[in-house]
Amino acid sequence: AHYVASVEAAKIMVPQGSGLIVNISSFGSRAPFHTVLYGMSKTALDKMASDMAHELVGTGVSTLSLWLGLIRTELILSLGMDDFNGFPLDRAEDPTFVGRVINALSEDPDLGAMSGSTVITAEYGRAKGLKNDDDAEPLSHRGAFGGGPLFPPVTDEQLGIDKVDEVAEAG
């Protein structure tokens, strides 16, 4: 479903020369979390964003995978807990925080350079001065899961731009 929706979105965005396709992934693509199927599906979203970036180069359309932290949903807040598995709920992400991050990404002048990467919402938000509705700064879950995203932004070297030019010149 993520792939089909992304393809359909690209069909609209490419002719207009701009757009941002965002998929919600998870730290579960990097470390054991929930189940094997969960980890596989989240890793697939990260890989899809990376590969789509290769295919969308030069179109003005960017694609990203986001790693959200714990989200302070109404359900979680209604449970009256202070923390969730040791993570303080007062530093979890509001749903509106995630919206602010996506909005900031869509307006980021460096978006094209980030295309194909996985973005940790709490870290991007901190870098851009974004906060929760209560003015709290969400914490990144990187420390709990180790390392970082598997797919950084696509580089010219990965795209083989120099090699493509050399092959074209060699005819």
Side-chain angles (χ1 to χ4, degrees):
H2 291 86
Y3 173 76
V4 171
S6 295
V7 168
E8 293 303 315
K11 287 179 183 178
I12 296 167
M13 294 175 183
V14 168
Q16 72 186 20
S18 66
L20 172 60
I21 298 170
V22 174
N23 282 288
I24 305 299
S25 183
S26 164
F27 285 90
S29 71
R30 179 71 168 174
F33 191 62
H34 297 307
T35 65
V36 170
L37 183 57
Y38 182 86
M40 288 174 36
S41 65
K42 295 306 182 178
T43 302
L45 291 174
D46 296 347
K47 178 69 169 144
M48 184 177 75
S50 178
D51 287 356
M52 285 182 71
H54 287 281
E55 293 187 15
L56 292 169
V57 165
T59 66
V61 179
S62 296
T63 179
L64 299 171
S65 185
L66 298 185
W67 284 6
L68 282 54
L70 179 64
I71 304 297
R72 295 194 300 195
T73 63
E74 290 179 10
L75 174 62
I76 287 178
L77 293 175
S78 73
L79 299 175
M81 302 182 303
D82 292 328
D83 67 82
F84 186 84
N85 290 334
F87 190 86
L89 287 178
D90 63 340
R91 299 298 295 279
E93 298 176 21
D94 287 337
T96 51
F97 172 79
V98 177
R100 288 183 192 104
V101 167
I102 294 171
N103 183 63
L105 284 163
S106 73
E107 296 174 352
D108 195 316
D110 295 325
L111 178 61
M114 291 187 293
S115 188
S117 67
T118 302
V119 175
I120 299 172
T121 53
E123 294 175 9
Y124 182 85
R126 183 180 314 113
K128 298 298 181 181
L130 305 174
K131 296 185 178 181
N132 278 331
D133 295 339
D134 64 0
D135 211 34
E137 188 175 84
L139 296 175
S140 171
H141 287 0
R142 182 190 297 262
F145 293 99
L150 299 175
F151 299 101
V154 176
T155 65
D156 288 347
E157 181 178 78
Q158 287 173 311
L159 292 172
I161 289 177
D162 293 337
K163 294 177 185 173
V164 170
D165 291 343
E166 291 171 14
V167 171
E169 289 173 9

